[in-house]
Amino acid sequence: MSQTGTLVSEKIEEKEYDIIYVGGGPGGFAGALKSASLGQSVALIEADLMGGTCVNWGCIPNKSLLASTEAYLNAKDGADYGVEINGDVALNFIKSMNRKNEIVSKLRGGVTFMLQNAGVSIYKGKAKLVGERKVKIESGQDQGKVLIGKNVVIATGSSPSRPPIKGIEGKNVINSQILLAMEEPPKSLIIAGAGPEGLELGTFLSACGVKVTVVEMMPHILPLEDTDIANALQDALSDEFKNIEFHVGAKVLEIKDSDGLKEVVADVGNGKTESYKAEYVMMSIGRIPNTANLGLEELGVEFNRRFIKVDKHMKTNLPWLYAVGDVAGGGLAHVALVQGPIAALNAAGKEALYDDKALPRSVYTYEEVASVGLTEEQAKNKGISFKIARSFMAANGRALSLGKTHGFIKIIIDQNNKIIGATMLGPYASEVIQEIAAAITFGATADQLATVIHGHPTISEVIIDALNAGAK
């Protein structure tokens, strides 16, 4: 030691890899598996649970709970289908949560197994870029280790946002991650934000008997989706669940305590406010990318607003650094699942480009909503001349047999008769929309898609029915 008491030298363990992934969510683990398949030496650093938000607190747990919801609804309505059930039918919150936890655990373990089986070196801890091609693990199990990579991929995902609302830090104001860890259901819940997360969890909780109030600042639920589809979904949810209510055009101003409950005060326009009360408030107003304390600013990495700026190769302004998923503006798990391998290919000297013109989006509630390409509103805003082909679930034999006839499909067709978008509400919408995604990807016209033979009876026949009816 020197006279000042500082260390003259510090032994730091360093290890070199062809590529390092920071983050073990969809983008990180998909990219790491691709890099390993290309024969590269790969390291992956994860600060928390393998699989990221999607596996642990988002896509998978929500869909597991919605599977329980569907089973309950089928049993509850069994008499309509000739199924006689003696006794009451109820959705058990605790058992549904336990089932969800088992599924999440299995999938998380499966991701870890695949990475280990592929030869990926897994490190645990929070990482930071400390120099060109250098990543230091600053906390956690592998704290102090420094990894050197020919290339580095940032895939750290996102976290629930905490907008500057008065009272948001108070007791019983939670996010979805806290809700998914609850051991008993709330008696009542206000959900601030009517996006996919809020509606999916709201559906499950309503089925459990929880009084749910959904508050959305925009004019309709699912504000990024087609207005007609969003309004039809709201009607479907209101018809099925009498204990869920919606308030749109209501901007949350304040959250406060009131008679042992939480009170949400919202601006509803024209100088008026409304108040809603519940035991808990769940904030579901977007997410923020996990880019803080990564050392990006020190290295001069370019940002586009909150996101890391990347090109179609997923490369940043530094030749050795890539970013994928939420930190690069992705926002959806399947975007990260695609972008991770694209970064892997480019880092290995191959050519791969990301193209989002046929990016599907799905919402899984009592009825599914799915979209791809442009919505009607987006096509109008872009000044595109288009027509719309429609078909309704009420005329679809498969939908009738399932007893789910609220929905419809809208297919957007441009002046060259090419399909540029579609949105759908109905059974298996998340699966059916993939056909439209393929059509957009390969530049198919409406006439070409109309020649595809569809099995009968299937939900996908709504596509052919819409196209055969003609666009207007």
Side-chain angles (χ1 to χ4, degrees), residues 172-174 186-193 205 210-216 245 247 252 255-256 261-265 275-284:
N172 286 3
V173 181
I174 62 175
K187 295 180 178 65
S188 56
L189 176 74
I190 295 169
I191 299 176
L205 291 169
V210 177
K211 176 68 172 68
V212 175
T213 302
V214 180
V215 181
E216 170 56 53
E245 63 181 48
H247 298 275
V252 176
I255 304 169
K256 57 186 179 180
L261 298 173
K262 305 303 293 189
E263 180 180 355
V264 170
V265 181
S275 293
Y276 323 103
K277 294 183 180 181
E279 182 183 12
Y280 285 87
V281 176
M282 186 184 85
M283 303 305 298
S284 186

Side-chain angles (χ1 to χ4, degrees), residues 190-195 199 212-227 229-235 237-238 244-252 264-270 272-276:
I190 295 169
I191 299 176
L199 294 181
V212 175
T213 302
V214 180
V215 181
E216 170 56 53
M217 68 177 290
M218 300 303 287
H220 61 79
I221 66 171
L222 295 180
L224 298 182
E225 298 298 339
D226 179 86
T227 301
I229 289 286
N231 290 336
L233 174 62
Q234 180 175 324
D235 290 342
L237 290 170
S238 297
I244 187 170
E245 63 181 48
F246 297 91
H247 298 275
V248 297
K251 181 181 179 181
V252 176
V264 170
V265 181
D267 178 358
V268 295
N270 298 320
K272 297 180 180 180
T273 62
E274 288 183 358
S275 293
Y276 323 103

Side-chain angles (χ1 to χ4, degrees), residues 333-393:
H334 49 281
V335 171
L337 285 168
V338 171
Q339 290 180 344
I342 287 175
L345 287 164
N346 287 301
K350 302 181 184 298
E351 178 77 12
L353 299 175
Y354 175 65
D355 184 354
D356 62 358
K357 71 174 180 292
L359 174 63
R361 308 176 300 277
S362 300
V363 184
Y364 306 79
T365 63
Y366 162 64
E367 295 269 17
E368 289 187 3
V369 170
S371 305
V372 66
L374 300 179
T375 64
E376 179 180 357
E377 290 92 338
Q378 289 169 338
K380 286 179 181 177
N381 292 338
K382 288 179 176 288
I384 297 173
S385 177
F386 65 91
K387 294 181 178 180
I388 298 176
R390 305 172 190 260
S391 183
F392 295 86
M393 292 298 165

Side-chain angles (χ1 to χ4, degrees), residues 19-38 40 42 44 151-156 310-315 321-328 330 332-348 350 352-355:
I19 190 164
I20 300 167
Y21 289 85
V22 182
F29 73 70
L33 290 171
K34 186 63 178 180
S35 292
S37 75
L38 297 171
Q40 295 199 306
V42 186
L44 184 147
N151 292 284
V152 178
V153 181
I154 302 298
T156 46
V310 296
D311 61 17
K312 291 293 186 179
H313 299 88
M314 309 315 302
K315 183 179 288 187
L321 184 65
Y322 297 77
V324 301
D326 289 1
V327 293
L332 296 167
H334 49 281
V335 171
L337 285 168
V338 171
Q339 290 180 344
I342 287 175
L345 287 164
N346 287 301
K350 302 181 184 298
L353 299 175
Y354 175 65
D355 184 354

Side-chain angles (χ1 to χ4, degrees), residues 42-248:
V42 186
L44 184 147
I45 307 168
E46 171 54 47
D48 198 354
L49 297 175
M50 192 63 71
T53 296
C54 177
V55 170
N56 296 287
W57 310 291
C59 319
I60 303 306
N62 288 3
K63 279 56 177 182
S64 300
L65 295 175
L66 287 168
S68 295
T69 304
E70 183 176 8
Y72 158 71
L73 294 174
N74 287 338
K76 180 177 73 71
D77 300 330
D80 296 337
Y81 298 81
V83 179
E84 296 182 357
I85 298 176
N86 297 320
D88 294 333
V89 176
L91 180 57
N92 187 295
F93 177 90
I94 296 174
K95 290 183 178 179
S96 298
M97 283 289 190
N98 289 340
R99 178 180 182 272
K100 176 264 296 183
N101 292 339
E102 290 176 4
I103 291 169
V104 168
S105 179
K106 287 179 181 178
L107 189 55
R108 185 168 60 234
V111 170
T112 302
F113 172 79
M114 286 191 296
L115 290 167
Q116 292 173 335
N117 192 54
V120 175
S121 297
I122 299 175
Y123 293 85
K124 298 294 294 182
K126 187 168 181 59
K128 181 177 182 179
L129 296 170
V130 293
E132 184 173 336
R133 307 177 194 274
K134 282 191 175 185
V135 182
K136 183 178 181 180
I137 303 174
E138 298 207 315
S139 64
Q141 179 180 315
D142 292 305
Q143 181 177 355
K145 294 180 180 179
V146 174
L147 310 183
I148 302 171
K150 295 177 182 176
N151 292 284
V152 178
V153 181
I154 302 298
T156 46
S158 63
S159 300
S161 65
R162 302 288 285 181
I165 296 172
K166 185 178 180 181
I168 196 171
E169 301 299 335
K171 182 181 178 182
N172 286 3
V173 181
I174 62 175
N175 57 36
S176 60
Q177 187 170 333
I178 295 173
L179 177 67
L180 289 167
M182 282 185 167
E183 296 182 353
E184 60 181 33
K187 295 180 178 65
S188 56
L189 176 74
I190 295 169
I191 299 176
E197 176 186 73
L199 294 181
E200 289 176 0
L201 290 174
T203 296
F204 166 68
L205 291 169
S206 296
C208 288
V210 177
K211 176 68 172 68
V212 175
T213 302
V214 180
V215 181
E216 170 56 53
M217 68 177 290
M218 300 303 287
H220 61 79
I221 66 171
L222 295 180
L224 298 182
E225 298 298 339
D226 179 86
T227 301
D228 294 337
I229 289 286
N231 290 336
L233 174 62
Q234 180 175 324
D235 290 342
L237 290 170
S238 297
D239 287 346
E240 181 63 33
F241 303 105
K242 302 309 178 185
N243 55 333
I244 187 170
E245 63 181 48
F246 297 91
H247 298 275
V248 297

